[in-house]
Amino acid sequence: MKLGICIPHYGRAIEVGRLLEVVRHAEARGLDSVWVTDHVIVPRDATVIYRHDMLDPLAMLPWLAGVTERIALGTSVVILPYRSPIPVAKLLASVDVLSGGRLIVGVAIGWLEGEFDALGVPFKERASRTDEALELFRTLWTEEQPTLTTRHHQLANLQVSPMPLQKPRPPLWVGGNSDGAFRRVARLGDGWHASSMDQAAFRQGQDGVRRFWKEAGREGEPVWSLRIPILLDGVHRAAVDMSLLRGRHTLAGSPAKVAEELRGFQALGVSHVALEVSYSTYPAILETIDLIADQIRPALSSR
């Protein structure tokens, strides 16, 4: 099982030097990935950590490519209907090239209706626009001279550049916990990127994904991945209003307890976990990274 952290580029005063310290410490301690999150303009009445001081994830990614050397760079997740998909496809392909082929693309349709209203994107079209974007990504990342007609785009007599470094293309992991999301994984994705759920809920989601995966005629298994908050006893110190976590399943307790729960997810086939550390202070995040590296990950690999 690979372990990474979600970078705290939201919810607190922006301190670029401290963000850089977190990223470089995660890489130096051998973590597998760092992840960015997507919101553009958040309604004031939305009780989410992303409302204040949020750096754009598509700006974070090229910066991360430049300040790291080995660690994978993930999106957890890009909300595809927010933006025109062709420029986003080019940006992500560029990040894959600049990073030496380290990009993991997690995507979803979004849920914050007020944000869609502000962006002028019809909320009811978010699923169809996501499907269209994924179809475009798959084509633009594998065909230098594509021919494709979608609802909003017509590709003909065009040259695509750059092509991603990863072949055939960067992985596409689809978030969401509905039949629509599970169908999207099966038709257009490579894996499921679940969020903040316990093992029973994850297992139920797997059943849905597998059903649609089989119906779509896909072979093998999708990639199973998870984003989940981590709050370690004696280490976590709150940087934000902790009521923002209400209703979300977390990995909480001692490193041994967290490792035990992660072993349960590992037994379900989860191969990559993005640990959400952003509710903790910067010093607590650095301590958490050390405990992930020194205690939690060894407890996973020893079983």
Side-chain angles (χ1 to χ4, degrees):
M1 176 186 280
K2 293 183 178 181
L3 300 177
I5 60 164
C6 299
I7 299 301
H9 64 100
Y10 42 79
R12 69 186 73 205
I14 296 169
E15 299 179 72
V16 177
R18 302 195 86 168
L19 281 173
L20 180 60
E21 184 181 17
V22 167
V23 171
R24 287 185 166 160
H25 194 58
E27 182 165 61
R29 293 309 320 271
L31 268 60
D32 297 292
S33 54
V34 289
W35 299 78
V36 295
T37 302
D38 193 15
H39 280 281
V40 178
I41 184 165
V42 178
R44 284 186 293 179
D45 61 355
T47 54
V48 293
I49 193 174
Y50 317 109
R51 192 172 60 199
H52 298 292
D53 298 307
M54 185 167 194
L55 293 166
D56 190 276
L58 301 186
M60 289 289 295
L61 285 172
W63 178 72
L64 288 168
V67 300
T68 60
E69 297 180 356
R70 175 200 58 80
I71 203 164
L73 313 177
T75 63
S76 180
V77 286
V78 171
I79 306 301
L80 292 184
Y82 286 170
R83 304 172 182 85
S84 179
I86 293 177
V88 173
K90 184 180 182 75
L91 185 150
L92 293 173
S94 299
V95 169
D96 196 59
V97 172
L98 291 168
S99 67
R102 292 186 279 137
L103 183 65
I104 301 169
V105 182
V107 304
I109 69 170
W111 61 274
L112 194 52
E113 189 166 359
E115 192 165 18
F116 282 85
D117 292 342
L119 294 169
V121 178
F123 188 70
K124 292 182 179 179
E125 293 183 10
R126 66 195 192 283
S128 62
R129 286 175 181 255
T130 296
D131 290 351
E132 181 178 22
L134 285 170
E135 186 178 5
L136 286 162
F137 285 9
R138 290 165 63 96
T139 299
L140 293 167
W141 290 346
T142 56
E143 300 179 28
E144 293 187 51
Q145 297 178 338
T147 299
L148 178 68
T149 299
T150 67
R151 180 181 176 186
H152 297 101
H153 300 274
Q154 184 169 347
L155 306 182
N157 300 315
L158 297 166
Q159 181 70 40
V160 176
S161 70
M163 302 302 288
L165 194 62
Q166 295 182 76
K167 301 303 177 190
R169 53 170 172 74
L172 288 166
W173 298 353
V174 178
N177 191 30
S178 67
D179 280 355
F182 301 156
R183 289 190 187 95
R184 192 165 294 111
V185 175
R187 292 189 299 107
L188 298 165
D190 304 306
W192 182 40
H193 190 55
S195 180
S196 299
M197 59 179 61
D198 62 21
Q199 291 168 33
F202 190 89
R203 189 182 298 109
Q204 185 175 2
Q206 281 184 306
D207 291 342
V209 172
R210 286 187 175 115
R211 181 172 73 254
F212 292 114
W213 191 267
K214 183 177 180 180
E215 289 179 6
R218 303 283 297 271
E219 296 182 355
E221 282 261 295
V223 175
W224 305 113
S225 64
L226 174 69
R227 175 198 178 121
I228 191 165
I230 181 171
L231 307 172
L232 292 177
D233 285 350
V235 174
H236 165 69
R237 295 179 290 280
V240 299
D241 179 0
M242 295 304 293
S243 69
L244 296 173
L245 264 177
R246 189 176 294 123
R248 301 182 65 193
H249 184 69
T250 66
L251 298 174
S254 67
K257 181 180 178 183
V258 168
E260 182 64 29
E261 186 165 358
L262 284 172
R263 280 196 292 271
F265 284 108
Q266 190 175 38
L268 292 174
V270 174
S271 60
H272 209 135
V273 178
L275 298 164
E276 171 64 273
V277 297
S278 299
Y279 294 88
S280 297
T281 63
Y282 279 114
I285 290 171
L286 297 176
E287 290 181 55
T288 298
I289 290 170
D290 285 335
L291 287 171
I292 292 168
D294 293 336
Q295 297 186 33
I296 294 174
R297 188 165 59 181
L300 300 177
S301 60
S302 65
R303 296 296 179 94

